[in-house]
Amino acid sequence: MRGVAVTGMAGSNMSLAVLLLLSVLLTGVTHAGPDMDPYKILGVSRGASQAEIKKVYKRLAKEWHPDKNKNPGAEDMFIKITKSYEILSNEDKRANYDRYGQTDDTQPYGSGRYGQQHDNFYFDESFFNFPFNGQNHRDFADSKYTLHFNQYINDVVPDSYKRPYLIKITSDWCFSCIHIEPVWKEVVQEMETLGVGIGVVDVGYERRLANHLGAHRTPSILGVINGKVTFFHYAVAKEHLKQFVEDLLPQRLVERVTDKNDLQFLNSWHELNKPHVLLFDQVPVVPLLYKLTAFAYKDYLQFGYVDQGLSETANLQKQFNINTYAPTMLVFKENIDKPADIIQAKGMKKQIIDEFMSNNKFLLAPRLVNQKLFDELCPVKQFHRRRKYCVLLITGDEETFSSGNQAFLSFASTNTKEVVRFAYVYQRLQQPLCDILMQNKDSTQSQPQVVILERRNTAGKALFKPVTAWNGSEEDKQLLLDELERLQKDPSILSHDAMLPELNNEFASMFVIRWIYASYDYLSEVIDDILHNNWREMMPLLSLIFSALFILFGTVVIQAFSDSGEDKQTKPKAKDGSKAENGSPGTGTSSRPPKKNFVEVTELTDITYMSNLVKLRPGHMNIVLVLTDASKNILLSKFAKEVYSFTGSLTLHFSFLNIDKHSEWMNMLMEYAQDTMQIDADEDDGGNYKIDYTGHVLALNGYKKYLCLFKPVYTGEDLDSKSSEDEGGSSGVRSRSSSRDDHPSRKPNRSRSISTLQIHHKLDRLGLWMERLLEGTLPRYYIPTWPGLDKITPSK
């Protein structure tokens, strides 16, 4: 019995322990719930709208922002507010939380109802792959790189013209960001030592900056150079990121130099007005550190690279006695045979290279080519002990001045004083400045002169003294040396003062080349964005391009279909017209002139007589061309061209009348127009005169029963037979057939070509007549009744 009692007591103790353990777990879960409830953190109901949630978030974020709220728990509270808003502002995340009680951080490890608060257990945070843990949720390694909007605009963008920036877009609730952290930290450590700028944008804190950069998802990596943003589209690996930074740099920063082009490279110092830098190294690829240095000092120095592993560079290495075991950097100024400075080290650091470049930014005596260079060479006086004097040679660029210029350069190379800078200026290119310093009133080319000046303020005020006319003699050099020694003792010898004008930019013509390069880079970026599906940033441009293509393509397609439809409609009518020309009866025909001057012309016969004339609707007119079988093709083609511009009117109809068939109808119609001017006639074989109506045009108003008459006029070869169609009348035009007896010697083909030319020119003034017809200024001949067209004139 005792054993049984002990066993029962042990069983009860175990049950009690299990209950206690479950209560502890449930207590942990109970405490976990409120901390993860975004509704309670923001203080809104579950039915709150997006506008209400956004309004509350803005108020709480402003209240609990760590920069404004000094409460020790303000930072944690601000993080909770931001995370809660991120959940509730996203419909998918909000629906997931409302349905399952899950957020992104709790979903992988169980629902919210049975979620685990691993703070209460001894687990390594990396085991859960969890981005935050209480107050240690943020990666403080990124805190020194955090960017704000104003900081980016005021600091990063201007600095991106000297060095590229690598920026990471992240957020505290971005689980994918954790996977790239090891690679990112390794790349940042390496790139920062090379001079690449680093930045981190937290979307939760700087959504405005993220939108400005065009970053709409996390994680994202982008580069900024020359104020331009470029996104990284490849897998996050160290090699890819290094190549991305290298691709950001312009392609023409460093020129490869060999024994073949070394003199051309070094001799360009005079044209470019820059010292030249040569790096000798064993690697076949230009080091990234050297490219970054070239980008930072591109406005001051020209960079070249010599691959020591190539046989084409052996003479260069021998000429300058280069050590093949360590990288060597040489700076050449005016003397291309001897470097002005040299640096050699196995592990070149950025700080050493920057100091080396800064000490060799200018030539010994550079030419003043723009205001920026003038400001750096001759800075404005700030303190008494920091005075800077400029010795300026005003000269010309002709060959006659070369000896004096060389002597000035020789004198400048012996200068060892930090307070004195030497420079020269071409009078022809900087005329306003030279006129003031030389006190030259007539702006004519004067002989070279040396001037010492000191700038007093940025507005242009300067003190100066003309020293001597310069021809490079020893006396000139000694006089200049004496003046410089006097200046060190007595600065008041600069007795003249003046307001200096801003210098002309002599390299302004290179703007076009830079614009071409910039356009090429922009197009490359656009193509790169298209290839990598960066659609959100490219959507406005793509929309514009596709809209233009759609409009263009739609116009072409509609025009093509309309043309093909017209062709199909006119083919059967053209066949009927050919039959009518051969004498076959036809109800009507149409003519298709060349090109697009298509006008539908119907033959006026006894069948179409009623519909096209007698029963014509009020306000409508039928324009009838009178022709013969012989002149049909020529006159119809010309008629179509002349009246094509009037075919848009719905009240005009176009027909033709074959005078060979209906000459009697035409004679009867003309009897009602007795007051028309005389029409010339051709003499037939019997000596009788036959009126020639070929080329006449009738405007027939069937409802009001009147007509307007156009008579042909020549504007071609026969100048003596010109006449004017005035109000439907013109002087007669006699056919050439009446004068054939006077010129029996002409050949038949010549007579035929002249007749064709005359027929073609009969309708030259028809367009003007049509305009007067529409204006209503032509005379009208009223007809009592329209004569019948049922009788066809017999052919003789």
Side-chain angles (χ1 to χ4, degrees), residues 89-213:
S89 62
N90 188 300
E91 294 297 340
D92 294 335
K93 293 181 179 180
R94 183 178 180 180
N96 186 54
Y97 180 82
D98 292 340
R99 185 175 301 175
Y100 305 110
Q102 295 176 342
T103 59
D104 285 346
D105 59 303
T106 60
Q107 187 171 354
Y109 318 115
S111 65
R113 182 175 300 178
Y114 304 102
Q116 300 171 345
Q117 175 122 0
H118 61 274
D119 283 347
N120 299 329
F121 301 93
Y122 186 75
F123 286 113
D124 185 19
E125 184 179 349
S126 61
F127 174 79
F128 285 93
N129 197 22
F130 211 65
F132 56 91
N133 182 15
Q135 293 184 357
N136 298 324
H137 65 280
R138 302 182 69 183
D139 187 358
F140 287 98
D142 287 343
S143 60
K144 67 175 181 178
Y145 305 119
T146 303
L147 295 178
H148 305 289
F149 183 81
N150 292 334
Q151 181 186 2
Y152 172 81
I153 297 297
N154 299 327
D155 298 336
V156 175
V157 172
D159 195 39
S160 68
Y161 289 87
K162 297 180 180 178
R163 61 172 178 165
Y165 271 78
L166 196 62
I167 299 177
K168 179 181 70 172
I169 310 297
T170 184
S171 65
D172 289 339
W173 285 56
C174 170
F175 294 101
S176 301
C177 301
I178 301 174
H179 301 299
I180 69 172
E181 278 303 312
V183 178
W184 171 258
K185 290 180 180 179
E186 186 178 359
V187 171
V188 165
Q189 185 177 2
E190 181 176 350
M191 292 292 105
E192 195 173 18
T193 57
L194 298 179
V196 178
I198 305 297
V200 175
V201 178
D202 193 323
V203 178
Y205 298 94
E206 285 294 335
R207 189 173 297 273
R208 179 187 178 189
L209 177 55
N211 293 334
H212 178 78
L213 294 172

Side-chain angles (χ1 to χ4, degrees), residues 576 580 584-589 602-609 612:
D576 295 340
S584 301
T587 58
T589 182
T602 306
E603 184 178 5
L604 190 62
T605 64
D606 55 343
I607 298 176
T608 61
Y609 175 71
N612 287 357

Side-chain angles (χ1 to χ4, degrees), residues 726-781:
D726 180 23
E727 300 180 354
S730 65
S731 59
V733 179
R734 184 173 298 274
S735 174
R736 293 251 179 183
S737 60
S738 62
S739 59
R740 285 177 183 172
D741 297 337
D742 300 335
H743 305 280
S745 61
R746 295 186 179 180
K747 296 182 179 180
N749 58 351
R750 173 65 177 169
S751 176
R752 189 179 301 111
S753 63
I754 294 176
S755 176
T756 302
L757 181 62
Q758 289 178 346
I759 294 173
H760 177 74
H761 286 288
K762 280 189 174 187
L763 301 179
D764 283 348
R765 299 292 180 88
L766 181 59
L768 299 176
W769 182 82
M770 289 291 297
E771 292 180 1
R772 295 185 60 189
L773 175 65
L774 296 179
E775 293 172 358
T777 58
L778 292 177
R780 300 176 180 179
Y781 307 108

Side-chain angles (χ1 to χ4, degrees), residues 252-253 255 264-277 298-304 361-363 366-370 373 424 505-507 510 513-514:
R252 295 161 293 274
L253 281 175
E255 181 179 352
Q264 180 183 357
F265 175 77
L266 295 176
N267 277 322
S268 62
W269 69 266
H270 187 270
E271 178 185 357
L272 299 176
N273 199 39
K274 296 178 181 179
H276 284 55
V277 183
K298 61 183 181 298
D299 294 334
Y300 304 98
L301 299 161
Q302 194 71 15
F303 291 84
K361 286 169 59 176
F362 305 108
L363 297 170
R367 185 174 88 253
L368 297 183
V369 294
N370 51 46
L373 182 60
Y424 69 97
N505 187 4
E506 297 180 14
F507 289 156
M510 298 179 64
I513 300 176
R514 294 178 182 177

